[in-house]
Amino acid sequence: MPSSPIRKLVPYADKARKQGKHVFHLNIGQPDLPTPDVFWKAISEESGSTLSYCPSNGYEFYREKFAKYYREFVGIKDVDADNFIITTGGSEALIFSIFSTLDAGSEIIIPEPMYANYIGFCSSGNINIKPIITSIEKNYALPEIAEFEHAITENTKAILICNPNNPTGYLYTKEELERLKDIVLKHDLFLFVDEVYREFTYGGEFYSILNFEELKDHVIVIDSISKRFSACGARVGAIVSRNQEVLDTCLKFAQARLSPPSLGQIGGAALFDLGKDYYDSVKEEFSARRDFLVGRLLNMEGVLCPQPGGAFYLLVKLDVDNTDKFCQWLLESFEYEGSTVMLAPGSGFYSTPGLGQYEARIAYVLKEEDLAKAMDCLENAIKEYKTNVMTSDSVFDQTLS
Amino acid sequence: MPSSPIRKLVPYADKARKQGKHVFHLNIGQPDLPTPDVFWKAISEESGSTLSYCPSNGYEFYREKFAKYYREFVGIKDVDADNFIITTGGSEALIFSIFSTLDAGSEIIIPEPMYANYIGFCSSGNINIKPIITSIEKNYALPEIAEFEHAITENTKAILICNPNNPTGYLYTKEELERLKDIVLKHDLFLFVDEVYREFTYGGEFYSILNFEELKDHVIVIDSISKRFSACGARVGAIVSRNQEVLDTCLKFAQARLSPPSLGQIGGAALFDLGKDYYDSVKEEFSARRDFLVGRLLNMEGVLCPQPGGAFYLLVKLDVDNTDKFCQWLLESFEYEGSTVMLAPGSGFYSTPGLGQYEARIAYVLKEEDLAKAMDCLENAIKEYKTNVMTSDSVFDQTLS
């Protein structure tokens, strides 16, 4: 098991806090907005009861509300409660569905950089990742079909994408998804699409992979209430599929761990009663943060920042020698006006060794005022690091000239 | 992945309910007592906040309270917050700790019958179970050391027991644990002890494996608040160990799935403030239920019932041809005064094919009044099944003469 790039610096952050520094957490996708009141209200109504196991595939009342949300807000007409298996966060949804469809030794194609935990999950099942490399210079867009064709072998069983993307913020176009559809059908693959950030789009249109009728038996969508409703601690995710065999196998894994958390579903069901206003207000907030952050980064010397179309992440290139070292140094040795900033080093988002060492992921999950202070920290930190710590020449001179 | 014997009959139970029958659920270890008020109160105080991820190893405030409970109520003096990794139920604690210590192809010795999900967890990691068979006639006590020695090969890496035992209700004596200790030290094995039922003992004394100083590096205890506090839906378990290397590896698995449920820990921390009175009252209730149930079963023709010393399960032998068939028939075709009873067929608690077909697990998790009605059902069901359904001779004639 590799360590999580998002969490491996936690001990250094703890130490920084113990030294009295304030740490701006931009390393983890933990939105700061309060979990909506309806969530808390629904749970408080359970007081005095027995907090029981729920069915292994989740409460039926929860799955029904969830299916209704898919019909009304995602626009997928032909799904009902039976198309869902409720899991302990999106993490478990990924593990169950990957382990239900791929044997040890088989291959899965994932555009790189990728969500770090995909690497961990595949590693724990001895599933080989075949990365398709996307580049910051092309805004991390999907490469040409030819590259996929090139990567496919007789052991390739699936493709996995995250849309909108974590860590790059890239929003896939309908055309790109159509290209993926063709490859999936041609080679009879599974297509996993992690759509947990689908409400977080800025400018472009989100297109759910579930819209493709032809992919009925191929598609497995990963979902979660964590980001959508600022309820990460609830640990309630889901597998969404129309492939009954896949769902049946996932259910065996689900039964083996008994059940997903009950409280998160009790509160979560109430969240699906929220209307379009809720989604609009969240999108507006994050859209403003994105604009602010991108504006700051573009004006920062030694930072290459693409324009993200969704989610709440940016994967930026920094003019430092090594972001693993830099991010640790930020916590251990740097301070600006009593604060420092925690980022996720880029290397952990690559399965290919050596890549990502100049990149870092920034999660814009704080309010603008805090983002401003965090950017002040980062701007000063880069200067100080380059002047006092770095011994090699500028990264940009080496790699971008 | 095998199906869970505890849950695989769920569709038949759903059908029975839809037919208007009341189903007494004795198939699953879901206590009926209300979750203590302090749990609900602590959660309600979070209203209005952001339900965040917690650290991958669990909240520090929770681990501190948990360690205090170990020092005060389990009598283990030298444990602190760092000896715990908080997990999503005991299930995840088992998965993480087994996967952190055993490679695919290695062997683990488990007394049989065993908790059904041990079989599923090991199967999903391609870990081979070497069962040590215990028998109902000897009250499922641990067999002689010689049998363990016989089972150990160069691939054997661990022994796993559940104390008090699920599904048999057997409470291990200090002497038995000492014998296990000697084997573990002699062959340098890991020893997993699932102690989630430690407060549920009747007559005998529970002895935690953590008492053995010599096993510091060998012992991994599995724990959970589910049974102790009637909070199964919280999904909060734990790994307890003094082996830092094991804890470090488990933490990597923990980081990969981000974090355990936050709400269960927020409520759970308050549960550890409950005093001895709470544990005594729960024990008293379950002790009375056990006495009642064993009394009923011993008076039932065609039932062989051992005397359980702990947990809230009985694994009984029934005079039927096949408990898989019988338990399904109970739900599909039987009814007594508008009710029927759901049991867990014995075969699922054996990794050895063919064993357990005359046994069924009964969880005494209902109040006495309901247990009485459930036993009325069972008594009548056995008679009717033998008269109208079974075609073969009596099982007892075949196997116990």
Side-chain angles (χ1 to χ4, degrees):
Chain A
M1 286 293 298
S3 289
S4 162
I6 302 155
R7 297 198 164 220
K8 69 182 175 184
L9 295 176
V10 167
Y12 299 100
D14 290 343
K15 227 180 281 176
R17 260 191 305 271
K18 276 171 191 161
Q19 290 164 9
K21 283 189 231 177
H22 178 77
V23 179
F24 290 107
H25 279 272
L26 304 183
N27 62 305
I28 191 162
Q30 166 64 63
D32 60 327
L33 305 181
T35 315
D37 284 340
V38 290
F39 178 90
W40 296 108
K41 190 164 172 290
I43 289 174
S44 73
E45 283 165 9
E46 293 296 305
S47 284
S49 72
T50 303
L51 184 59
S52 306
Y53 290 121
C54 71
S56 296
N57 56 344
Y59 285 121
E60 191 168 357
F61 69 83
Y62 180 79
R63 287 183 285 115
E64 273 168 4
K65 289 248 185 155
F66 204 11
K68 189 163 169 277
Y69 150 85
Y70 264 81
R71 292 190 297 268
E72 291 179 5
F73 289 98
V74 192
I76 309 301
K77 296 298 167 207
D78 60 336
V79 289
D80 62 30
D82 293 339
N83 295 113
F84 297 84
I85 289 179
I86 307 309
T87 56
T88 306
S91 302
E92 195 182 66
L94 261 163
I95 293 171
F96 286 175
S97 55
I98 288 179
F99 283 25
S100 293
T101 50
L102 278 78
D103 287 320
S106 58
E107 291 167 2
I108 185 167
I109 293 175
I110 313 180
E112 185 171 74
M114 65 187 72
Y115 174 46
N117 283 339
Y118 296 164
I119 303 171
F121 298 149
C122 290
S123 144
S124 73
N126 294 313
I127 290 154
N128 301 316
I129 294 175
K130 296 272 267 193
I132 296 275
I133 295 170
T134 69
S135 75
I136 192 168
E137 289 77 14
K138 291 182 178 167
N139 198 12
Y140 303 110
L142 216 55
E144 294 308 305
I145 278 293
E147 288 204 38
F148 282 89
E149 293 282 359
H150 187 70
I152 290 173
T153 74
E154 58 181 5
N155 292 322
T156 307
K157 294 287 176 284
I159 296 173
L160 162 59
I161 63 166
C162 179
N163 181 31
N165 193 268
N166 172 8
T168 66
Y170 186 75
L171 176 66
Y172 289 91
T173 64
K174 189 178 170 190
E175 289 64 39
E176 281 176 304
L177 297 173
E178 271 169 353
R179 277 191 275 147
L180 278 181
K181 181 191 75 179
D182 294 340
I183 307 169
V184 163
L185 288 174
K186 181 175 170 192
H187 296 278
D188 193 20
L189 306 175
F190 285 108
L191 179 56
F192 297 90
V193 186
D194 184 341
E195 296 188 355
V196 304
Y197 299 99
R198 72 165 71 91
E199 275 81 10
F200 300 86
T201 57
Y202 319 113
E205 271 292 303
F206 169 79
Y207 191 80
S208 173
I209 201 72
L210 290 165
N211 282 296
F212 292 123
E213 271 294 318
E214 312 92 298
L215 291 182
K216 218 165 93 50
D217 290 330
H218 300 264
V219 158
I220 297 151
V221 162
I222 306 302
D223 204 351
S224 164
I225 63 168
S226 293
K227 318 293 175 175
R228 187 173 301 142
F229 300 115
S230 209
C232 298
R235 311 307 296 126
V236 175
I239 296 161
V240 194
S241 183
R242 295 174 182 118
N243 181 322
Q244 194 56 47
E245 207 182 332
V246 169
L247 289 170
D248 289 345
T249 310
C250 289
L251 184 59
K252 288 192 191 179
F253 282 93
Q255 287 177 334
R257 60 65 162 128
L258 303 179
S259 62
S262 297
L263 289 170
Q265 292 173 77
I266 290 165
L271 293 169
F272 288 116
D273 290 335
L274 292 168
K276 190 172 173 299
D277 286 359
Y278 170 77
Y279 300 105
D280 287 347
S281 70
V282 172
K283 187 190 283 200
E284 194 181 336
E285 172 66 26
F286 280 92
S287 183
R289 291 177 181 187
R290 181 201 65 156
D291 293 345
F292 172 79
L293 197 65
V294 170
R296 280 296 304 263
L297 289 162
L298 287 177
N299 281 316
M300 224 176 268
E301 202 185 334
V303 175
L304 188 64
C305 172
Q307 182 74 344
F312 39 63
Y313 304 104
L314 287 167
L315 193 68
V316 298
K317 204 162 198 168
L318 304 180
D319 185 17
V320 298
D321 56 347
N322 181 308
T323 49
D324 276 293
K325 273 171 58 183
F326 175 68
C327 293
Q328 185 176 331
W329 173 87
L330 273 171
L331 297 167
E332 273 194 312
S333 311
F334 177 76
E335 180 169 350
Y336 177 76
E337 294 185 349
S339 299
T340 190
V341 58
M342 187 171 180
L343 308 176
S347 61
F349 299 98
Y350 286 84
S351 69
T352 307
L355 291 186
Q357 73 172 101
Y358 308 124
E359 291 162 48
R361 191 189 72 170
I362 300 175
Y364 41 103
V365 289
L366 302 179
K367 54 181 189 285
E368 209 169 298
E369 184 191 330
D370 289 330
L371 285 177
K373 289 182 194 155
M375 289 305 104
D376 291 343
C377 277
L378 183 63
E379 190 159 17
N380 282 281
I382 293 172
K383 283 180 200 152
E384 188 175 321
Y385 185 83
K386 284 174 68 178
T387 313
N388 299 334
V389 184
M390 251 171 76
T391 48
S392 64
D393 292 325
S394 162
V395 171
F396 283 110
D397 292 347
Q398 292 166 13
T399 62
L400 295 179
S401 58
Chain B
M1 285 295 296
S3 290
S4 161
I6 301 155
R7 297 199 163 219
K8 70 182 174 184
L9 295 175
V10 167
Y12 299 102
D14 290 343
K15 226 180 278 174
R17 259 191 306 274
K18 275 173 191 160
Q19 288 165 10
K21 282 189 235 179
H22 178 77
V23 179
F24 290 108
H25 280 272
L26 305 182
N27 61 304
I28 190 162
Q30 165 64 62
D32 60 327
L33 305 182
T35 314
D37 284 342
V38 290
F39 177 90
W40 296 108
K41 190 164 170 292
I43 289 174
S44 73
E45 283 164 9
E46 294 296 306
S47 284
S49 71
T50 302
L51 184 60
S52 306
Y53 290 120
C54 69
S56 296
N57 56 343
Y59 285 120
E60 191 169 357
F61 69 83
Y62 180 79
R63 286 182 285 114
E64 273 170 2
K65 289 248 185 159
F66 204 12
K68 189 163 168 275
Y69 150 84
Y70 264 80
R71 292 191 296 267
E72 291 180 6
F73 289 97
V74 192
I76 309 301
K77 297 297 167 205
D78 60 335
V79 289
D80 62 29
D82 292 339
N83 295 112
F84 297 85
I85 289 178
I86 307 309
T87 56
T88 307
S91 302
E92 195 181 68
L94 261 163
I95 293 172
F96 286 176
S97 54
I98 289 179
F99 284 25
S100 293
T101 50
L102 279 79
D103 287 321
S106 58
E107 291 166 0
I108 184 166
I109 293 176
I110 313 179
E112 185 170 74
M114 66 188 72
Y115 175 46
N117 284 340
Y118 296 164
I119 304 172
F121 298 149
C122 290
S123 143
S124 74
N126 294 312
I127 289 153
N128 300 316
I129 293 175
K130 296 271 268 192
I132 295 276
I133 295 171
T134 69
S135 76
I136 192 168
E137 289 77 12
K138 291 184 180 167
N139 199 14
Y140 302 111
L142 217 55
E144 296 306 307
I145 280 290
E147 288 204 35
F148 282 89
E149 294 281 1
H150 186 71
I152 290 173
T153 74
E154 59 182 3
N155 292 321
T156 307
K157 294 287 176 286
I159 297 174
L160 163 59
I161 64 166
C162 180
N163 181 31
N165 193 268
N166 172 9
T168 66
Y170 186 75
L171 176 65
Y172 289 91
T173 63
K174 190 179 170 192
E175 288 66 37
E176 282 176 304
L177 297 174
E178 271 167 353
R179 276 192 275 149
L180 278 181
K181 182 191 74 178
D182 294 340
I183 307 169
V184 162
L185 288 174
K186 180 175 170 190
H187 297 278
D188 192 19
L189 306 174
F190 285 109
L191 178 56
F192 297 91
V193 186
D194 183 342
E195 296 189 355
V196 304
Y197 300 99
R198 72 164 70 92
E199 275 81 10
F200 301 86
T201 58
Y202 319 113
E205 272 292 304
F206 169 78
Y207 191 81
S208 173
I209 201 74
L210 290 166
N211 283 295
F212 293 122
E213 272 292 320
E214 312 93 297
L215 292 182
K216 221 165 89 55
D217 289 330
H218 300 265
V219 158
I220 297 150
V221 162
I222 306 302
D223 204 351
S224 164
I225 64 167
S226 293
K227 318 293 174 172
R228 185 172 303 140
F229 299 116
S230 208
C232 298
R235 312 307 296 124
V236 176
I239 295 161
V240 194
S241 183
R242 294 174 183 121
N243 181 322
Q244 194 57 47
E245 205 183 333
V246 169
L247 290 169
D248 288 347
T249 311
C250 288
L251 184 61
K252 287 192 190 179
F253 281 93
Q255 287 177 334
R257 59 69 162 124
L258 305 180
S259 62
S262 298
L263 289 171
Q265 292 173 78
I266 291 165
L271 292 170
F272 288 116
D273 290 335
L274 292 168
K276 191 171 172 298
D277 285 359
Y278 171 76
Y279 300 105
D280 287 346
S281 72
V282 171
K283 188 192 280 201
E284 193 181 337
E285 171 67 24
F286 279 93
S287 182
R289 290 176 182 187
R290 181 202 65 156
D291 293 344
F292 172 78
L293 196 66
V294 170
R296 281 295 306 260
L297 289 162
L298 288 177
N299 281 316
M300 225 178 266
E301 204 184 334
V303 175
L304 189 64
C305 173
Q307 183 74 346
F312 39 62
Y313 304 104
L314 288 167
L315 193 68
V316 298
K317 204 161 196 169
L318 303 179
D319 185 17
V320 298
D321 55 348
N322 181 309
T323 49
D324 276 294
K325 274 172 56 184
F326 175 67
C327 293
Q328 185 175 330
W329 173 86
L330 274 171
L331 296 167
E332 271 194 312
S333 312
F334 176 76
E335 180 170 351
Y336 176 76
E337 293 185 350
S339 298
T340 190
V341 59
M342 187 169 179
L343 309 176
S347 61
F349 300 99
Y350 286 84
S351 70
T352 308
L355 291 186
Q357 74 171 100
Y358 307 125
E359 290 161 48
R361 191 189 72 171
I362 300 176
Y364 41 102
V365 290
L366 303 180
K367 57 178 187 283
E368 209 170 297
E369 184 189 329
D370 289 331
L371 285 178
K373 288 181 195 157
M375 288 304 105
D376 292 344
C377 276
L378 182 63
E379 190 159 18
N380 281 282
I382 294 173
K383 283 182 200 154
E384 189 175 319
Y385 185 81
K386 285 175 66 178
T387 312
N388 300 333
V389 183
M390 254 170 76
T391 47
S392 63
D393 292 326
S394 162
V395 171
F396 282 109
D397 292 347
Q398 292 167 16
T399 60
L400 295 180
S401 58

